[in-house]
Amino acid sequence: MTRAGTVSVVGKPNAGKSTLLNRIIGQKLSIISPKPQSTRQRVVGIHTAGDVQMIISDTPGLLDPTYPLQHAMRSIAVQSLGDADVIIYISDALEGPPPDLAEAAQATIPRNASVIEVINKVDALPTAGREQLRAARPDAHFISAVTGEGIEELLAEVADKLPASPFLYPEDDIGTQSTRFFVTELVRETALEQLHEEVPYSIACEIEEFREDRIPWYIRAVIYVERDSQKRILIGHKGAQIRDLGSAARQKIEDLVGERVYLDLWVKVLPNWRRSPRDLKRFGFDLPEGLSR
Ligand code: GDP
Ligand code: MG
């Protein structure tokens, strides 16, 4: 008899949700950054081991939204709470004992979902701090998504809580999203690495042409920013910045697809797209009711 179900990883920005997903899947599906709010969309990984299959969603951080893109990001996180058989509620050990999930999410937690509390980054915590946290949160799993400590035990508990079900995906699938999606995410991750302040947050990436019928693959992508000044920063002196960004992103894309790639990057301005319902929709974001006009 097999078990299968959906697992949502939720928590505040920067808690290590994406690092945990990648650690469980054993491959980089979700982008990671020391800068908060790097994950904007749900990223789905599939973990099949023995007679258990977990369909795991990495989500944007639970935050208080201040502009429409953040409203859309928050509603993705809240929605994935509603879809879950098991919720992994992850927090950063360095921030002390976490608030309850309902409080952190400012939402009611569906009663049919099992919530597993996870305290991450214990590798960065001195022993005394660990003891204190353990006393405060005796039921939590203490893990390090970076070193792998505590992950086996966590997965065993998740497996216990999943319903009896046939597998929902073929056993060797690890994701559900298109290569195009991962390419746009890798461009954004590289922007988060190379650019500072508002600029990386003002970026959206869209694929205009994607040709796998030649070597190298030809991928033309547009990076949208919100203002001319951001476009100038992104392009840099004599195009140096966009060249650096393009070459680092291209290497990541080649690692992902296992093929040589020609990445043709363009920069365009789409004024205030993060606040425009129409532009958000174009980039795949749904605004919650009442904010969609
Ligand atoms: P998310 O916003 O919750 O998805 O967090 P990320 O997975 O992007 O991680 C945020 C930052 O925390 C990154 O710089 C990670 O390298 C770091 N991080 C994640 N997990 C761990 C961990 O177990 N230990 C340590 N020391 N750092 C971690
Ligand atoms: Mg993330």
Side-chain angles (χ1 to χ4, degrees):
M1 174 131 93
T2 58
R3 270 174 297 164
T6 54
V7 180
S8 292
V9 182
V10 300
K12 287 210 201 147
N14 239 17
K17 298 174 290 298
S18 301
T19 309
L20 177 62
L21 178 79
N22 292 347
R23 160 66 62 173
I24 293 173
I25 304 302
Q27 193 168 315
K28 190 166 115 187
L29 285 184
S30 207
I31 67 170
I32 291 173
S33 170
K35 299 192 176 85
Q37 301 181 43
S38 47
T39 307
R40 286 179 179 163
Q41 311 259 14
R42 193 195 278 240
V43 179
V44 181
I46 302 168
H47 177 69
T48 307
D51 53 7
V52 181
Q53 182 170 72
M54 306 174 185
I55 294 93
I56 307 173
S57 288
D58 176 24
T59 65
L62 293 165
L63 78 172
D64 281 333
T66 58
Y67 53 86
L69 171 62
Q70 290 186 334
H71 281 280
M73 286 162 58
R74 184 186 137 80
S75 70
I76 290 165
V78 171
Q79 199 178 354
S80 71
L81 286 172
D83 299 345
D85 294 304
V86 176
I87 295 166
I88 294 179
Y89 170 39
I90 179 169
S91 53
D92 183 336
L94 301 172
E95 296 190 349
D100 279 353
L101 173 57
E103 190 185 321
Q106 290 175 26
T108 43
I109 308 310
R111 241 183 279 159
N112 48 350
S114 312
V115 178
I116 301 177
E117 202 175 286
V118 168
I119 302 208
N120 186 34
K121 309 195 189 180
V122 294
D123 59 289
L125 202 63
T127 317
R130 259 189 210 220
E131 301 304 317
Q132 270 178 9
L133 257 186
R134 233 184 247 291
R137 287 291 182 279
D139 297 329
H141 283 263
F142 284 66
I143 70 159
S144 167
V146 163
T147 68
E149 180 184 344
I151 304 287
E152 281 308 313
E153 295 83 347
L154 170 62
L155 289 178
E157 190 180 347
V158 173
D160 266 352
K161 299 210 145 76
L162 287 176
S165 158
F167 286 173
L168 306 168
Y169 288 90
E171 282 187 41
D172 48 11
D173 280 11
I174 61 161
T176 63
Q177 283 146 310
S178 66
T179 308
R180 287 169 178 239
F181 169 74
F182 293 117
V183 166
T184 59
E185 289 288 276
L186 290 173
V187 169
R188 251 185 357 94
E189 181 182 65
T190 311
L192 281 158
E193 284 162 6
Q194 296 193 356
L195 300 161
H196 307 288
E197 290 160 31
E198 261 321 89
V199 185
Y201 294 106
S202 307
I203 281 175
C205 182
E206 199 173 61
I207 305 288
E208 281 197 338
E209 195 174 340
F210 195 98
R211 308 201 60 144
E212 303 163 59
D213 59 353
R214 59 197 65 186
I215 306 290
W217 286 13
Y218 176 78
I219 302 175
R220 187 172 69 248
V222 179
I223 299 179
Y224 290 96
V225 287
E226 293 194 304
R227 292 194 295 273
D228 280 326
S229 58
Q230 294 167 338
K231 178 173 173 176
R232 280 195 296 277
I233 293 171
L234 194 52
I235 291 175
H237 183 59
K238 295 189 174 159
Q241 177 63 64
I242 191 72
R243 264 200 308 280
D244 281 356
L245 198 157
S247 106
R250 175 181 49 77
Q251 274 164 31
K252 295 177 185 199
I253 296 163
E254 289 180 338
D255 288 346
L256 173 78
V257 302
E259 209 39 271
R260 281 195 299 127
V261 167
Y262 181 81
L263 180 63
D264 193 8
L265 275 186
W266 293 79
V267 182
K268 292 184 184 169
V269 177
L270 197 56
N272 293 320
W273 68 264
R274 288 182 295 172
R275 296 173 189 275
S276 152
R278 217 186 59 200
D279 295 335
L280 287 170
K281 200 164 171 161
R282 155 187 186 163
F283 295 128
F285 295 101
D286 286 323
L287 281 172
E289 292 278 318
L291 281 170
S292 43
R293 256 172 313 212

